[in-house]
Structures are given as structure tokens and as C-alpha cells.
Amino acid sequence: MTPEDTLASMEAVVTDLFYWMSIALMICIHAGFLAYEVGASRSKNVLASAMKNLLTFAVVIATFFFFGWWFYNAFFQFPVGAIDAATAALPWSEDMGPNVTSVTGIFWGAFALFAATTGSIMSGAVLERIRTSSFLILTTVLGSVVWIIGAAWAWHGNGWLLTEWGWHDFGAAGCVHLIAGAFTLGVLMNLGPRIGRFVGGKAITIPPHNLPLTMLGLMLIFVGFFGFLMGCVVYTNTGYFTIFGNPTNLSAIAFSTLMGLAGGIIGAYVSSKGEPFWTISGGLAGVISVAPGMDLYHPALSFVIAAVGGMLIPYIGRLLEKFEIDDVVGAVSVHGGCAFYGLTVSGFVLWGYPNVAIDGFGTPPDINPLGQIGGAVVLALLGFVPGYAISLALKKVDMLRIPAEVELAGLDLSEVPATPYPEGIPVTTLRNEDAVIGGEEVKA
Amino acid sequence: MSPIDSWDEATYVFTGGPDSFLTVLSVVVAVVMFVGFIAVMVRHEKHAYAQMIHHEPVEKGPAVEGEPQVY
């Protein structure tokens, strides 16, 4: 074996290992979403929520193999970029299976986990009243068609938003978070709120059955995000690059991710006055807010942008409530709202950063506000329109929502043949005056 | 099912090899199984909801351990 062969072999090994780690860490996102949504559910829907998360993972992985990866390879130029070349991404091609000279599987795997994340983002918002089968159909469309077309446009080395508008979005705020948030908003508009969530136009809080579990779930998502952002870096034997071709490294991303988490949590604490659900969601909001420029932002600026993002989410949540939109976990606020905000801010803060010349496409425009805001609008529409249209079609055929009787009694009593807490959940009984026992106010 | 006779200069090594009848058939069967899974789920949901609304057990026979009581 020549030294060149040895080097090539080691490059393949390290590339495989790099993304293998990324995939493993991203599974923590799904463990986190599962815990998060189980905690956010009422105890009558706990197992149904867990099953929905588990099946999201399975359904998106499978369909992403069947056709999702092909969309990424075929659609990077508008409207279709490389239909012929994309045959290498069809599930019967020589790269889409064990091949000792190809690392396609490891890249496919990382993208499949990104895809599953989009489904999990929607999952929490629609808790406790969507039919699981309809949800999985919607998840398939979101995870294996819509977001990956967005990724081809906005998260590809030759994507048209980059080559034509100078788009820059290191951490996939646009194609993952904004598309998933906008798609979810479209679904929520047709799905309607949980029974009892709005009475006489007034929003009624439906408490989660286990807020500590929800908080632990979000901490797991934070762990998973290190895998997610690791997967946003293109590793080669000569160093790290972003998907847009500019050099970077994990050191840069460590600064922005941690300062984004810190800023988001602090910002959300301030604006929600210490409400635990919004405060911990602020960490996610912070990372998403800085995601477009986390390869370029100074850590202090990341903190500031993230803190404002964290401050925004309770307000976006209240705005949605005015329209009687019941987003159980704040997914539209955190993912859609902060991604749009982060992309808008990045257009101004990163204004003038040059893009790297691309073979066959010349040098794209510098990063600019119109490119970033225009791209965000395009991706928001790409997410919202199919989400609204397909959920409307499911609603018309009476497949979108569970029957009211089932919703009132709980999904765990019908479609899930098991019970989560067979011995019940211990309840702290207060015996002071004006105590609340079993949900009814009593006077001592 | 082996697409190779030797490991020398091997590239793809998966059962059947690319574009083969076996590989395409495997993909088609996998897709059909996926669609079947969705269909089974829709049927299960309809049955479970109807049984619950009529206060009947979802599954016949005695409840297995951990299965909720009839609503």
C-alpha cells in the first residue's frame, strides 16, 4: 500500500467515524423529544405520545431511504437540478448499500437523522388529539420530501439560494427549523386546539403531567444538538468546511452553541418571569437563533442574539393563542419563530461576508439581508403550504383528528394496549387552607 | 446472491448488486410493507376508537398484564 493509499484509507475511516458519532449523538435529540413530549402530555396520553415519537423515527428513516435522499440530490437547482445525476441516490444504486469504496451511507445516515428531527419538531405541537396514522403521513411528507427539498435549495454546496442569492445558514435554521415550524403551523390551523384549551376565546392552561421530565428531555435535546451541529460541518482530510464551502472548525461551533444556549435560557427566563417551560425552551431558541451564523459570530454577539431570541418565544406563543392555535410545546414559536428571527438578523450582521467560488457556478453574491430574508420567506412558504394543504385534505376525509370521546378519555385507553402508571401517580395533598386536592379547590 | 467473485478491486458488495432484480424487488417489498403498516395502523385506530366509544374491550379475551381496563 502506498502512502497515498494509506492516507485515503485513513480519510475514509475518520470521515465514517466523524459522522457515526454525529448520528449517535443526534439520536439523543429523539430520546429528548420523547421525554419532552411524554412529560408535556396529560397522564392519559403518555404512552400514545411515546409511541408517536418512536414511530416518527422509524417512519422517517425508512422513507428517507426510499426516496428522501433522492430529493436532496435531484433538486438543488430550481426547480430541479440534477435528475439524471441523482440516479446514484436511488435505493437500488451501487452507492445505496454496502460499498467498500463509498461513504454515502454515513452521509445518508446523518441526513436521515436531520429528517427525523423535523418530524419530532412537529410531533410535540400536535399532541393529544391528532390521529397517529395521519401524523405519520404528515411526518413522511415533512421529513422525507419537504424539508429535504428545502435542504437541496438552502443547505447544499450548489443550492440555488446560495448560488443566486448568497444564502448562508450554517446550522440549518432555515431548512430544518423554519420549514418544520411553518409546516406545523399549517397543520395546527386545521387540527384545532385540544378540548378545553380555549373557552370563550380565553386560553386555558392545560398543565403537563410531568414538567421535570419535560425539562430533562430538553437537556437531552441539548446534548443531541452537539451531534446535529457536528453533522453540519463537512469534514475532509484537509480540514473542516461549512456546507457552503467556507473554512470553519468545531472550535468555532463550540463558542456559538454554548453561548447560544446560555443566552437563550437567560433571555427566556427574563421574558417569561422564570416560567420553567419557556425558560428551558429558551436554550433551544437561543441555539436556533444563532444557527445561521454560528461559524462566524463572536461569542458575545451569539449571546446577545440568542438572548433576544429567548425573550421572543413567550410573546410568539401568546400571539398564537390569540388565534386559538394550540401549540402544546411551543414548536412554532421556538423553531419557526426563532429561525425566522435568526435568519433575518444574520442578513444584517453577516452583510458583506464573501462566499466561496463554486466550480461551474462562479462566485455567489456576498451574504446580504435581502438574500437571507428572501430565503427565509421562500422556506417558510415551502413548509407552510404543504402542511396546510395536506392536513386540510386529511381533515376533509375525517382522518386528521381523533373522536372527541377518545380525546376526553385519553388515547392510552384505546389505541395503546398498555398503561403507563398501573399503580397510579403519587399526588401531593395539601391540607392548608385554600388547598387544591384532586383538581378541585377546597376550603380548609 | 453475491455480486462478486473476488474481494480484489471490489466496490459494491451488497446482496444482488445494483439495479439487479433482487435489489429492486427488495425495495418494492420494503415499500409495500411500509404502506401495509400504515394501513394496519389506520384499521387498528378505527377499531380501537369504535370499541372505546361503545365501552367494549379493544382486544378479545382477558386483559394482558398492564392492559388498561375497559373504559
Side-chain angles (χ1 to χ4, degrees), chain A residues 367-389:
Chain A
I367 301 172
N368 64 91
L370 275 179
Q372 294 295 95
I373 297 169
V377 170
V378 166
L379 295 179
L381 288 172
L382 179 64
F384 178 80
V385 172
Y388 184 86

Side-chain angles (χ1 to χ4, degrees), chain A residues 375-411:
Chain A
V377 170
V378 166
L379 295 179
L381 288 172
L382 179 64
F384 178 80
V385 172
Y388 184 86
I390 297 169
S391 60
L392 181 63
L394 289 167
K395 184 180 179 181
K396 294 284 185 194
V397 294
D398 202 23
M399 275 188 63
L400 186 61
R401 191 167 173 136
I402 61 176
E405 297 93 331
V406 175
E407 184 178 345
L408 287 170
L411 281 162

Side-chain angles (χ1 to χ4, degrees), chain A residues 12-70:
Chain A
V13 168
V14 177
T15 301
D16 256 6
L17 195 58
F18 184 85
Y19 291 104
W20 183 270
M21 283 292 299
S22 169
I23 290 169
L25 282 170
M26 274 197 273
I27 290 176
C28 288
I29 292 178
H30 300 282
F33 271 119
L34 190 150
Y36 180 37
E37 293 170 25
V38 163
S41 302
R42 285 164 288 183
S43 56
K44 61 184 179 179
N45 294 314
V46 164
L47 288 176
S49 297
M51 291 295 287
K52 187 156 63 66
N53 274 83
L54 194 64
L55 292 171
T56 298
F57 186 77
V59 161
V60 174
I61 298 291
T63 54
F64 198 76
F65 179 80
F66 296 150
F67 47 79
W69 186 238
W70 177 82

Side-chain angles (χ1 to χ4, degrees), chain A residues 83-96:
Chain A
I83 292 287
D84 292 338
T87 52
L90 290 171
W92 42 77
S93 81
E94 68 177 60
D95 280 342
M96 292 300 281

Side-chain angles (χ1 to χ4, degrees), chain A residues 7-19 103 106-107 230-243 245-250:
Chain A
L7 191 63
S9 171
M10 285 308 298
E11 182 190 348
V13 168
V14 177
T15 301
D16 256 6
L17 195 58
F18 184 85
Y19 291 104
V103 290
I106 207 75
F107 288 109
M230 184 181 180
C232 295
V233 174
V234 180
Y235 172 82
T236 72
N237 63 332
T238 55
Y240 296 113
F241 296 87
T242 72
I243 214 153
N246 59 292
T248 190
N249 51 39
L250 290 179

Side-chain angles (χ1 to χ4, degrees), chain A residues 319-386:
Chain A
L319 179 67
L320 292 173
E321 283 183 350
K322 288 188 188 303
F323 295 95
E324 299 199 4
I325 290 173
D326 181 14
D327 179 357
V328 179
V329 297
V332 176
S333 311
V334 172
H335 295 273
C338 286
F340 196 91
Y341 152 74
L343 286 163
T344 303
V345 168
S346 71
F348 294 96
V349 177
L350 303 179
W351 198 345
Y353 269 96
N355 272 305
V356 177
I358 305 168
D359 284 345
F361 294 93
T363 303
D366 294 347
I367 301 172
N368 64 91
L370 275 179
Q372 294 295 95
I373 297 169
V377 170
V378 166
L379 295 179
L381 288 172
L382 179 64
F384 178 80
V385 172

Side-chain angles (χ1 to χ4, degrees), chain A residues 48-418:
Chain A
S49 297
M51 291 295 287
K52 187 156 63 66
N53 274 83
L54 194 64
L55 292 171
T56 298
F57 186 77
V59 161
V60 174
I61 298 291
T63 54
F64 198 76
F65 179 80
F66 296 150
F67 47 79
W69 186 238
W70 177 82
F71 278 106
Y72 184 68
N73 286 270
F75 281 68
F76 57 83
Q77 287 290 302
F78 187 83
V80 289
I83 292 287
D84 292 338
T87 52
L90 290 171
W92 42 77
S93 81
E94 68 177 60
D95 280 342
M96 292 300 281
N99 182 326
V100 294
T101 59
S102 169
V103 290
T104 295
I106 207 75
F107 288 109
W108 167 82
F111 271 79
L113 265 291
F114 288 124
T117 301
T118 62
S120 290
I121 290 169
M122 174 171 64
S123 172
V126 299
L127 279 178
E128 301 195 303
R129 76 278 202 199
I130 198 167
R131 274 181 74 150
T132 308
S133 54
S134 292
F135 168 77
L136 293 178
I137 291 168
L138 289 162
T139 299
T140 299
V141 174
L142 172 59
S144 292
V145 181
V146 176
W147 101 271
I148 196 64
I149 291 176
W153 292 356
W155 213 50
H156 188 293
N158 299 330
W160 72 268
L161 280 177
L162 166 65
T163 58
E164 304 299 319
W165 292 1
W167 172 260
H168 187 88
D169 179 16
F170 170 82
C175 61
V176 170
H177 301 285
L178 180 53
I179 285 182
F183 190 99
T184 301
L185 178 61
V187 173
L188 288 174
M189 289 169 71
N190 287 311
L191 181 63
R194 288 168 291 174
I195 293 171
R197 179 69 173 87
F198 297 98
V199 177
K202 186 182 174 191
I204 307 295
T205 300
I206 297 177
H209 99 283
N210 191 335
L211 192 53
L213 185 60
T214 293
M215 296 182 77
L216 179 65
L218 265 165
M219 291 299 285
L220 264 175
I221 294 173
F222 294 168
V223 175
F225 254 75
F226 281 83
F228 183 102
L229 295 167
M230 184 181 180
C232 295
V233 174
V234 180
Y235 172 82
T236 72
N237 63 332
T238 55
Y240 296 113
F241 296 87
T242 72
I243 214 153
F244 305 96
N246 59 292
T248 190
N249 51 39
L250 290 179
S251 178
I253 310 309
F255 275 131
S256 303
T257 308
L258 291 171
M259 291 298 273
L261 279 171
I265 290 169
I266 289 170
Y269 178 90
V270 170
S271 66
S272 72
K273 299 182 177 62
E275 200 281 315
F277 168 78
W278 283 121
T279 300
I280 196 155
S281 295
L284 207 50
V287 174
I288 295 166
S289 298
V290 300
M294 58 176 23
D295 54 326
L296 300 169
Y297 291 153
H298 184 272
L301 182 60
S302 287
F303 182 88
V304 172
I305 293 171
V308 174
M311 285 180 193
L312 285 175
I313 52 173
Y315 294 105
I316 301 172
R318 283 180 211 132
L319 179 67
L320 292 173
E321 283 183 350
K322 288 188 188 303
F323 295 95
E324 299 199 4
I325 290 173
D326 181 14
D327 179 357
V328 179
V329 297
V332 176
S333 311
V334 172
H335 295 273
C338 286
F340 196 91
Y341 152 74
L343 286 163
T344 303
V345 168
S346 71
F348 294 96
V349 177
L350 303 179
W351 198 345
Y353 269 96
N355 272 305
V356 177
I358 305 168
D359 284 345
F361 294 93
T363 303
D366 294 347
I367 301 172
N368 64 91
L370 275 179
Q372 294 295 95
I373 297 169
V377 170
V378 166
L379 295 179
L381 288 172
L382 179 64
F384 178 80
V385 172
Y388 184 86
I390 297 169
S391 60
L392 181 63
L394 289 167
K395 184 180 179 181
K396 294 284 185 194
V397 294
D398 202 23
M399 275 188 63
L400 186 61
R401 191 167 173 136
I402 61 176
E405 297 93 331
V406 175
E407 184 178 345
L408 287 170
L411 281 162
D412 286 1
L413 281 177
S414 60
E415 69 178 68
V416 182

